[in-house]
Amino acid sequence: MLEIKNLSKAYKAAKGQIHKAVDGLNLHVKPGDIYGFIGHNGAGKTTTLRCVAGSLAFDEGEILVDGVSFANDPIGCKRRMAYVQDNPELYDNLTAYKYLKFIADVYQVHSDAVKSRVEYFAGGFEILDKLGDPIGSYSHGMKQKLALIAALIHEPKLLMLDEPFVGLDPKAYVTLRGFIGEIRERGGAIFFSTHVLDVAEKICNRVAIIKNGKLIIEGDMQTVKGDTSLENVFLELTEDTANGD
Ligand code: ATP
């Protein structure tokens, strides 16, 4: 569903130095995977997600979404995926419904489907009665729910989330898990970054840990964590970078 091959991305740091945020990364997210992507602050998770989402140009490597190469068909890749960043930027002056309609139009969702999908997802997140309100009046968690609905509305095959569980109330967390399960059941996949390791351990079947932009371990959750916890494995493998990157 997602293949990241030898991905590298560097930023210009202070005094003209170059900082390699992602360094030769290889990952393979298969259909049906709920794939957790973990690493310290500054390890390169958001940079990776943004490269895959097409919102950040990368220096080297290849990205394939559902077999479609980003280099050859970026629009085709974007049609198949959705990305929710950790701090979604929405349009405060629009009502939530107008925003969802706008996103649905961008993704060319059939108008018959828009209403029922909006009702389904907004009902699930319990914001159906707030869709007529301007987004500027929404709380942080409500904005997060709205961004998730906007991501789900075109039924992406690949859903990418940056820190999805921070700020969601417990009911919304359970609802999101349900929506994630539905994507998985229809052969899609979820690739998400998180610092909440007990949640990752509970819901992911696969996991990758990166450190300084490089993959240090990747695989089946049960194999990676063995008979200890994901937290223990993470702390052990990243011990020497406890001060970040
Ligand atoms: P966090 O868990 O804190 O969100 P992350 O793993 O998502 O961290 P990134 O945001 O990908 O990490 O950052 C990776 C590295 O790239 C960091 O060292 C960061 O300082 C650097 N970086 C990120 N964005 C930029 C930028 N626009 N310009 C320069 N350096 C950047």
Side-chain angles (χ1 to χ4, degrees):
M1 187 53 60
L2 169 64
E3 281 180 80
I4 299 175
K5 296 180 180 175
N6 209 23
L7 181 73
S8 291
K9 168 68 188 175
Y11 294 107
K12 277 196 185 119
K15 296 178 189 159
Q17 288 170 326
I18 298 292
H19 173 65
K20 232 175 181 184
V22 177
D23 192 357
L25 185 72
N26 289 287
L27 282 183
H28 190 181
V29 181
K30 299 189 181 105
D33 276 349
I34 299 181
Y35 197 120
F37 191 37
I38 63 179
H40 280 301
N41 292 132
K45 302 178 298 296
T46 299
T47 301
T48 303
L49 290 169
R50 289 190 60 207
C51 289
V52 176
S55 61
L56 189 65
F58 48 95
D59 305 323
E60 283 172 52
E62 192 180 7
I63 291 170
L64 294 120
V65 178
D66 196 23
V68 178
S69 159
F70 210 97
N72 297 338
D73 185 4
I75 300 291
C77 284
K78 288 180 185 185
R79 268 189 212 288
R80 290 165 164 81
M81 70 161 102
Y83 169 52
V84 182
Q85 56 189 45
D86 54 350
N87 208 353
E89 285 165 25
L90 306 165
Y91 298 97
D92 279 357
N93 294 331
L94 287 185
T95 66
Y97 187 78
K98 279 194 176 154
Y99 176 70
L100 292 174
K101 184 79 179 61
F102 166 66
I103 297 294
D105 287 347
V106 168
Y107 283 95
Q108 298 175 326
V109 180
H110 198 281
S111 54
D112 293 346
V114 175
K115 192 168 176 289
S116 60
R117 289 187 196 170
V118 166
E119 281 176 5
Y120 178 67
F121 293 123
F125 279 132
E126 299 182 320
I127 60 166
L128 198 51
D129 60 335
K130 304 280 186 214
L131 292 185
D133 296 351
I135 297 171
S137 70
Y138 272 35
S139 70
H140 174 72
M142 288 163 74
K143 284 183 182 171
Q144 228 179 319
K145 290 176 181 178
L146 183 63
L148 286 163
I149 297 166
L152 292 163
I153 204 154
H154 71 286
E155 296 194 326
K157 288 187 160 184
L158 173 68
L159 178 64
M160 295 194 300
L161 307 169
D162 200 350
E163 279 293 346
F165 304 115
V166 177
L168 286 184
D169 64 49
K171 175 87 194 297
Y173 162 69
V174 172
T175 302
L176 176 59
R177 281 185 59 184
F179 292 152
I180 282 175
E182 288 169 10
I183 293 177
R184 188 184 199 191
E185 276 162 25
R186 49 170 203 265
I190 292 85
F191 180 50
F192 72 97
S193 78
T194 185
H195 293 296
V196 192
L197 300 189
D198 51 348
V199 170
E201 182 171 336
K202 195 167 160 189
I203 71 172
C204 296
N205 63 309
R206 291 181 73 79
V207 65
I209 302 177
I210 63 164
K211 181 168 85 172
N212 299 329
K214 288 189 168 149
L215 187 71
I216 52 170
I217 194 167
E218 187 270 345
D220 177 72
M221 177 65 78
Q222 205 53 47
T223 310
V224 168
K225 81 179 185 71
D227 54 8
T228 178
S229 66
L230 182 61
E231 185 177 76
N232 283 343
V233 171
F234 178 79
L235 292 175
E236 197 180 306
L237 292 177
T238 58
E239 197 174 19
D240 59 343
T241 59
N243 60 346
D245 294 37

